[in-house]
Amino acid sequence: MGLIRTLRDSPAAAVIFASTLVAVMGVSLISPALPAVQEAWNISESQASLLLSAFTLPGIFLTLPIGLLSDRIGRKPILIPALVVFGLSGGSIIFISDFTLILVLRAIQGAASSAIAMLTVTLLGDLFTGEQRRVLIGTNAAILAVGAAGYPLLGGVLATLAWSAPFACFLLALFVAVPGMTLLEEPNQDGTKSNSSIREFLTGSTPMAPFAVLYLAIFGIFVILYGAQLTAVPFLLANEYQLSSANIGLLVGLPAVTMGLTAMQGDRVLQVLTSFQSIALGFVSYGIGLTVVALADSIYVIAGALLLFGLGQGLAEPITDTALNERAPDEFRGSIMSIRTSVLRLGTTVGPPLSVGAATIFGYQQTLFVSGVGSFLIGVTWFTVRRL
């Protein structure tokens, strides 16, 4: 009831959630279509995975300047144009017959997606406080999970019609931008402080260790998510089990189910565990899930392991956003969250080629096994040692 009341009293929250639902299309809609792209263009798996890397790469370098700019001129003047660029650059791919040009458009779309992803979480921190903020960040993660669960299935089904069909869905971003022009609120902020504040913060008395640990955790989360789940798992399912794009999409979307359910309970989790303990348990869950996927000889076992992977995602990803938002001073929240998105994009860019490169040498099962064991050990060690 509290969530419904918030959406009624603040239409901006609905715009933020819709923007999140749009931004998550960028990878989850395309991931199960990678085998179809590979076949249609007669390219290697590594080349096909560039559709993901080209999308995520610009965010590494552009998100921090976008965050600084948003602290200076506001969130809305950046978010609305980003939605328009995201929709047009992604949707136009269905008309392109040159793979290099497609990668360029994916890079443009990825830059816009980075701005959307950064600003949605930032706006939740700007416009809301306390328990309401934690609930809405958890809800935002759950909505992201709904998209992550549904889009792979949708993308897989559309890819059976044509490799380019999933890209038409990106035009939906335009239908979020139009109402967002009037419904989105602009938070009050002092636009004169952005550059000096971030320098003062970095060199001031505020402990940097929690921020450094959270950024490192975000990097690891998205290397695992994009490298293992969204790249290695689809190719494993295609190569070892000869599944169609639609069936791959169904399985790849399963982790989002448990992620969404867990993320909605984020406020309750933080009443029992610290944010760092929750993230550590997330890595433990990642590790067990990936290890079981690597060792499994049954689709049903893999499905269960992917649900466990999603549990880890729900324990780790939204909690990092909550922790950063609660620690970030208001006057440069955009800058702090933009660093988060830059690190996130670095992880999503490194993950796919790292997994495909390792699989080229060792195979996808061995790559997933090593990723799982490594994640498990990181989580156990962190949970035991970290006391932040």
Side-chain angles (χ1 to χ4, degrees):
M1 291 299 294
L3 177 60
I4 295 174
R5 189 183 310 112
T6 298
L7 293 175
R8 184 179 63 247
D9 296 340
S10 179
V15 174
I16 292 169
F17 292 155
S19 299
T20 294
L21 204 54
V22 162
V24 74
M25 284 184 185
V27 170
S28 60
L29 190 70
I30 303 305
S31 175
L34 291 181
V37 171
Q38 178 191 2
E39 182 180 355
W41 286 88
N42 192 28
I43 55 179
S44 67
E45 293 175 354
S46 296
Q47 289 173 307
S49 72
L50 290 176
L51 280 175
L52 304 186
S53 296
F55 182 86
T56 58
L57 182 62
I60 299 174
F61 309 102
L62 297 180
T63 307
L64 182 55
I66 291 171
L68 291 169
L69 184 62
S70 75
D71 279 341
R72 184 169 294 276
I73 69 172
R75 319 301 190 203
K76 185 175 178 178
I78 297 177
L79 179 59
I80 300 302
L83 287 166
V84 174
V85 171
F86 180 92
L88 292 179
S89 58
S92 63
I93 288 175
I94 62 178
F95 304 108
I96 305 301
S97 58
D98 180 84
F99 193 71
T100 300
L101 182 54
I102 287 174
L103 293 179
V104 171
L105 288 172
R106 283 288 282 173
I108 295 171
Q109 186 188 26
S113 174
S114 295
I116 297 168
M118 183 271 293
L119 289 171
T120 52
V121 178
T122 303
L123 279 165
L124 290 175
D126 288 334
L127 299 174
F128 306 96
T129 59
E131 180 181 350
Q132 188 181 40
R133 175 194 286 168
R134 292 192 293 271
V135 170
L136 289 176
I137 289 177
T139 303
N140 192 62
I143 288 172
L144 185 150
V146 169
Y151 290 146
L153 178 58
L154 176 61
V157 170
L158 291 175
T160 62
L161 304 176
W163 72 267
S164 59
F167 292 90
C169 297
F170 294 130
L171 294 170
L172 292 172
L174 303 179
F175 294 92
V176 179
V178 172
M181 294 178 185
T182 56
L183 297 179
L184 189 64
E185 303 170 35
E186 182 64 52
N188 295 325
Q189 59 180 356
D190 184 350
T192 65
K193 292 184 178 180
S194 59
N195 290 330
S196 60
S197 292
I198 193 67
R199 285 196 298 268
E200 180 181 347
F201 175 71
L202 291 174
T203 58
S205 59
T206 303
M208 291 292 103
F211 288 93
V213 172
L214 287 169
Y215 288 141
L216 184 60
I218 290 168
F219 177 74
I221 287 168
F222 284 90
V223 167
I224 295 168
L225 176 62
Y226 278 65
Q229 186 209 336
L230 294 177
T231 302
V233 170
F235 281 125
L236 174 71
L237 295 174
N239 295 341
E240 299 296 327
Y241 296 90
Q242 290 74 52
L243 295 185
S244 67
S245 294
N247 288 328
I248 291 172
L250 179 62
L251 284 169
V252 169
L254 282 178
V257 176
T258 43
M259 176 197 171
L261 294 173
T262 306
M264 289 292 288
Q265 304 301 316
D267 190 52
R268 294 183 180 181
V269 170
L270 291 177
Q271 293 175 12
V272 179
L273 303 171
T274 69
S275 56
F276 292 92
Q277 288 173 332
S278 176
I279 296 167
L281 285 180
F283 275 85
V284 171
S285 188
Y286 285 153
I288 297 173
L290 291 177
T291 302
V292 173
V293 169
L295 299 177
D297 58 2
S298 165
I299 290 295
Y300 301 104
V301 175
I302 289 177
L306 289 174
L307 288 171
L308 184 60
F309 182 96
L311 173 65
Q313 192 71 9
L315 287 169
E317 182 185 343
I319 300 300
T320 59
D321 290 341
T322 299
L324 281 172
N325 257 310
E326 292 183 344
R327 285 169 169 79
D330 292 340
E331 62 268 24
F332 46 85
R333 178 172 287 107
S335 301
I336 296 296
M337 298 310 291
S338 69
I339 296 174
R340 164 257 188 197
T341 306
S342 293
V343 173
L344 180 158
R345 291 301 189 187
L346 178 61
T348 59
T349 302
V350 169
L354 183 63
S355 289
V356 172
T360 301
I361 301 173
F362 304 107
Y364 284 107
Q365 287 178 315
Q366 290 84 350
T367 298
L368 287 169
F369 179 78
V370 172
S371 299
V373 171
S375 300
F376 179 83
L377 292 176
I378 290 172
V380 170
T381 302
W382 189 2
F383 188 85
T384 304
V385 174
R386 293 303 305 184
R387 297 301 177 195
L388 293 175

